Amino acid sequence: MLYFSPLELILKAKQEKVALGSFNVFNNEMFHAVTIAALKKKSPVIIATGEVDIQYFPPELAVSLMKIYSKKFDIPFLLHLDHCTQVELAEKCLRCGYSSIMFDGSQLPYEENVEKTRSVVKIAQWFGVPVEGELGVILGTREFFESTTQKDDQLKITDPEAARDFVLRTGIHTLAPSIGSAHGVYVKKPKIHFDILKRISKATKIPLVLHGGSGIPVEDVHRCIEEGVAKVNVGTDLRRTLVDTIVHEGVNPYVEARTVMEKSRDAIVTVVENWLDILKSSIILQ
């Protein structure tokens, strides 16, 4: 088993102008698929479980699987809690053995976001775990594209000076800014605010995280990495692949459920491999 701290890997990714892939999963097949792809590509990966997924995929189960795969293979697998909105849940996952935490207070008033994010950072320090914070509002794609005015759009985008203040006051290790990406299926090409991203990177001087990676053109992902992004979150690509495979295979009334899940896993492996190539994250272990 190779050991690297999450922050060490992210800082190296930033230095090498590549990015770690963070893949959202909520069942064993998805979890297994990410590890298979990581082994094939000899790349570290972050396996993320969102707050909304925990009812299906409890933290204790995720940690148990992580321990099994980490002992078996010489690839760093990091377990990350994504979009956590409850301080108590963040502490629970830390006690279970998560190696990375994202606290999302972006929907809160600014001062409350600062206060709660800072409290998670203090708790995480006891476990030696880095914390990702969010500033600005990274919505779902449906909500995002319902904006009808330029003013609405700008309200979602992170202000670089506010980002500087947020990082200084909370002590977070990575920041997820709102720069034009969104969660879910894009109905049109997202407009990434590269100028804002560059200013945020310069103002904060910490690794940045791109949320809503699924559907962003490869050239835009690469430009984000050039401007300071060191971690890219991918969830929708995996979820859609799972659903599409089940729907396609399920047409056959004689197909075994186990066979459908195996094909779903294999299809997700291909998706993750493609993303690891895009992010060039295998460089981190060289």
Side-chain angles (χ1 to χ4, degrees):
M1 176 177 67
L2 295 177
Y3 176 77
F4 291 86
S5 73
L7 188 58
E8 180 183 2
L9 288 171
I10 291 173
L11 288 172
K12 187 171 182 184
K14 181 175 169 60
Q15 177 184 346
E16 297 288 344
K17 295 287 186 178
V18 299
L20 274 172
S22 181
F23 300 97
N24 285 78
V25 307
F26 61 83
N27 64 20
N28 182 64
E29 286 75 23
M30 298 175 80
F31 195 108
H32 191 196
V34 177
T35 64
I36 292 172
L39 287 168
K40 291 173 75 172
K41 292 297 179 179
K42 296 181 171 55
S43 169
V45 291
I46 298 172
I47 301 178
T49 62
E51 180 178 282
V52 295
D53 300 321
I54 283 178
Q55 59 181 313
Y56 305 104
F57 201 60
E60 296 84 357
L61 176 57
V63 171
S64 295
L65 288 173
M66 182 62 67
K67 288 179 179 177
I68 291 170
Y69 288 114
S70 294
K71 288 178 181 177
K72 190 174 181 180
F73 304 116
D74 283 340
I75 294 290
F77 302 128
L78 308 176
L79 187 58
H80 176 74
L81 177 62
D82 197 30
H83 287 286
C84 175
T85 62
Q86 306 169 52
V87 176
E88 297 79 8
L89 178 59
E91 183 171 359
K92 176 184 177 179
C93 288
L94 286 166
R95 293 189 183 280
C96 283
Y98 274 60
S99 47
S100 179
I101 299 287
M102 180 209 180
F103 183 77
D104 181 0
S106 62
Q107 300 282 358
L108 302 172
Y110 180 73
E111 289 299 329
E112 189 176 354
N113 187 5
V114 169
E115 180 183 348
K116 289 192 172 181
T117 303
R118 183 169 54 211
S119 68
V120 172
V121 171
K122 288 181 179 179
I123 295 169
Q125 284 176 343
W126 288 97
F127 298 87
V129 168
V131 175
E132 172 187 337
E134 181 174 327
L135 188 65
V137 182
I138 304 172
L139 297 173
T141 51
R142 182 178 300 177
E143 299 167 292
F144 190 88
F145 290 115
E146 281 177 354
S147 297
T148 57
T149 68
Q150 184 177 5
K151 182 179 179 181
D152 287 338
D153 181 62
Q154 291 303 317
L155 286 173
K156 302 180 182 75
I157 302 303
T158 303
D159 175 75
E161 288 306 311
R164 184 206 305 270
D165 180 74
F166 188 72
V167 169
L168 288 173
R169 293 175 62 189
T170 60
I172 55 172
H173 306 87
T174 59
L175 173 68
S178 175
I179 54 170
S181 61
H183 301 110
V185 179
Y186 292 104
V187 296
K188 60 182 178 180
K189 180 182 175 181
K191 178 185 176 183
I192 304 299
H193 297 259
F194 295 107
D195 55 334
I196 299 293
L197 175 60
K198 185 173 184 177
R199 288 171 57 197
I200 292 170
S201 182
K202 184 177 180 180
T204 62
K205 296 181 173 60
I206 64 172
L208 303 179
V209 180
L210 177 65
H211 282 243
S214 302
I216 296 179
V218 172
E219 60 271 21
D220 286 357
V221 173
H222 286 164
R223 187 171 173 188
C224 286
I225 293 171
E226 283 293 323
E227 299 296 355
V229 165
K231 172 175 171 274
V232 176
N233 285 24
V234 179
T236 299
D237 277 353
L238 275 63
R239 293 171 190 264
R240 289 309 316 166
T241 299
L242 177 69
V243 171
D244 291 346
T245 306
I246 291 173
V247 170
H248 180 267
E249 296 297 328
V251 173
N252 179 358
Y254 303 106
V255 70
E256 283 281 351
R258 181 179 59 254
T259 300
V260 174
M261 297 313 295
E262 288 173 353
K263 290 189 175 183
S264 298
R265 180 199 63 200
D266 294 344
I268 292 171
V269 169
T270 301
V271 171
V272 176
E273 283 186 284
N274 182 57
W275 267 105
L276 295 178
D277 285 340
I278 291 170
L279 301 179
K280 303 177 182 179
S281 51
S282 61
I283 292 174
I284 298 170
L285 298 184
Q286 294 176 4

